[in-house]
Amino acid sequence: MRIKNSGFVMKLPELSSSLLAGLHCFSIVAETMSFTRAAEQLHLTQSAVSHRIKKLEQRLEVSLFIRRPRHLSLTNEGEQLKQVVAEQFSAISQKLLELNRARPFGDFIISAPPTFAQKWLVPRLSQFADTFPDVTLHLRTRNDLVDFKAEAFDCAIYFGHGRYTGLATHHLLDDFIVPVCSPEYAKNHNLYDNPQQLAQCQLLHDAAPWASASLSDEWLYWANTNGVELNGTNHSFDRADLALEAATSGMGVAIGRTAYIQDYLHSGRLVTPITQSVKSPFSFYLVYREEHVNNAKIVAFRQWLLEQLEKSTKCRLNC
C-alpha cells in the first residue's frame, strides 16, 4: 500500500489490526496534538499512546512528530499522513453509516391473499426471518386491495392485472388453472379425459379468486377457454384452499391453481383428470409505494421472494 501526496510517496506495510490501531491512534494524536488528550479519548495510558506512535514510526520508517518539551508538531510526512488517514477514516465512517442504514430492521407489515399466504408464503417465511433477524414480520391476509394512503402496510402481494396507479409493481408469478378432484370422485364420475362430464358434477368455487371477482368467474374463464358447458351444482368458499380441501373429501371438482396444488398432487389427494390447463388472466405481483423503492426491508423482501420463486419453479420442473 502506498500513500502519495505532493510528490511524497510513503510505502505502508500490509494492513493488519495492529497497524490499523496505530493509524487510529496517530489520527487522534494528530488531531489533539497531545499524547495526554489522545490517551483520554482512547482510554489508554499516555505511555501506551507514545508506544503505539513509536511502533508506527518504526513500521513506516519515518518520523511523524517533532517532540519538544511541552510542544508537539507534525513532520512533513506526518502532515501528509494526517490528511490521508483523515480522508480514509471519514470514508470508512460514511460507508459504515450507509451499511447500517441499509440494514433491514423494525416492523414490516405485509398483505397477501389468504391461500397464497397459507400454501406458499408462510411455509417459507421462517427462512426470511432467519436471514433478517432484526425485522419483525406482521402478515395480514385479504383478497381486496390495500389503501396505501390510509393503511400502514409496507407492501402487498396482489393477484391481479399488475397496473396499480402510484405503486411500484414487480411481477412475481404467472399462474395456470386446471380442474382438480379426489381420485375417487374422478373415477366415479368418469372424468378422466372427459370434460363434458363436468356438467354432471358438483363444482366448487373460490368466491373471491381476485379482487372484485364473482364466485363463478374462475370456472367460467376455464370453461369458455376450453369450450366446455357447465351445468353442475355450485358450492362456493371464500378461500381457494377451502375449495381444495372440499375437493379432497370428495365433495366435487375445484379449480386448482398451480401455485397451490403441487403438494396435493404429489400426495395423491387430488388429481387432474382433465388436463387442459389455462393460463390465468391474472398473475401475482409485489406492490408498494413508489417512494419506498429503496426501502431496505422492501428491497430485502423483494429479492428474497424472487429467489424463493426461482427455487420453487426449478423444483416443480425437476422434482
Side-chain angles (χ1 to χ4, degrees):
M1 175 180 178
R2 290 176 179 267
I3 295 177
K4 184 175 182 180
N5 189 288
S6 302
F8 173 78
V9 178
M10 182 186 301
K11 185 177 180 181
L12 289 182
E14 291 299 319
L15 287 177
S16 64
S17 58
S18 61
L19 179 56
L20 287 172
L23 289 170
H24 180 235
C25 183
F26 164 77
S27 70
I28 301 298
V29 175
E31 183 66 29
T32 62
M33 293 308 295
S34 167
F35 285 115
T36 301
R37 289 195 293 273
E40 291 173 353
Q41 289 190 31
L42 293 168
H43 302 289
L44 297 172
T45 64
Q46 183 177 339
S47 61
V49 170
S50 179
H51 176 73
R52 286 192 181 184
I53 296 300
K54 287 181 180 178
K55 188 173 181 181
L56 178 63
E57 289 176 322
Q58 290 171 357
R59 296 189 68 176
L60 300 181
E61 299 180 357
V62 294
S63 294
L64 298 173
F65 292 97
I66 300 172
R67 299 164 177 83
R68 296 189 181 95
R70 297 187 180 182
H71 181 73
L72 191 66
S73 61
L74 288 164
T75 64
N76 182 50
E77 293 85 352
E79 288 282 2
Q80 295 179 59
L81 183 60
K82 175 186 176 182
Q83 179 181 339
V84 174
V85 168
E87 291 173 354
Q88 296 305 314
F89 278 10
S90 176
I92 291 171
S93 297
Q94 180 61 35
K95 179 55 65 177
L96 290 175
L97 180 61
E98 291 174 3
L99 291 173
N100 186 60
R101 286 175 177 169
R103 177 177 56 87
F105 70 95
D107 291 333
F108 189 47
I109 310 173
I110 309 164
S111 171
T115 303
F116 183 85
Q118 180 183 8
K119 296 297 183 182
W120 194 92
L121 182 58
V122 170
R124 297 170 170 82
L125 208 52
S126 64
Q127 299 172 35
F128 181 84
D130 290 342
T131 305
F132 302 100
D134 295 326
V135 175
T136 302
L137 293 166
H138 304 282
L139 176 62
R140 303 294 181 261
T141 63
R142 57 198 285 181
N143 283 310
D144 58 322
L145 304 184
V146 171
D147 183 352
F148 280 95
K149 293 181 180 179
E151 299 179 271
F153 285 94
D154 291 291
C155 66
I157 295 172
Y158 286 170
F159 184 67
H161 49 63
R163 299 180 299 278
Y164 307 102
T165 303
L167 297 179
T169 304
H170 296 271
H171 176 267
L172 296 177
L173 180 68
D174 290 326
D175 210 3
F176 293 81
I177 57 176
V178 64
V180 293
C181 62
S182 69
E184 295 79 9
Y185 195 93
K187 181 179 179 180
N188 293 339
H189 291 79
N190 192 28
L191 278 175
Y192 285 100
D193 298 319
N194 195 3
Q196 300 308 321
Q197 279 296 106
L198 286 170
Q200 311 303 319
C201 295
Q202 293 186 344
L203 304 183
L204 310 177
H205 294 267
D206 176 2
W210 51 80
S212 303
S214 70
L215 63 86
S216 60
D217 281 357
E218 203 166 33
W219 259 114
L220 288 174
Y221 182 80
W222 179 89
N224 291 337
T225 303
N226 287 290
V228 175
E229 300 239 355
L230 300 177
N231 299 311
T233 304
N234 298 322
H235 303 290
S236 70
F237 305 83
D238 66 352
R239 288 172 38 169
D241 59 300
L242 298 179
L244 293 175
E245 287 297 325
T248 66
S249 69
M251 188 174 181
V253 188
I255 283 290
R257 296 185 196 167
T258 52
Y260 301 158
I261 62 174
Q262 298 307 311
D263 288 344
Y264 288 100
L265 298 179
H266 288 159
S267 67
R269 289 178 292 163
L270 291 176
V271 294
T272 55
I274 301 162
T275 57
Q276 291 102 308
S277 65
V278 174
K279 187 178 183 298
S280 173
F282 298 110
S283 301
F284 291 96
Y285 296 89
L286 175 69
V287 302
Y288 49 87
R289 298 171 185 84
E290 288 181 334
E291 60 269 26
H292 290 178
V293 66
N294 293 320
N295 179 281
K297 290 177 287 189
I298 292 176
V299 170
F301 187 62
R302 181 179 68 222
Q303 185 60 36
W304 176 82
L305 274 176
L306 294 174
E307 291 172 356
Q308 294 301 313
L309 286 164
E310 183 179 1
K311 290 178 183 178
S312 64
T313 299
K314 288 181 179 178
C315 183
R316 188 163 66 244
L317 294 174
N318 302 318
C319 294

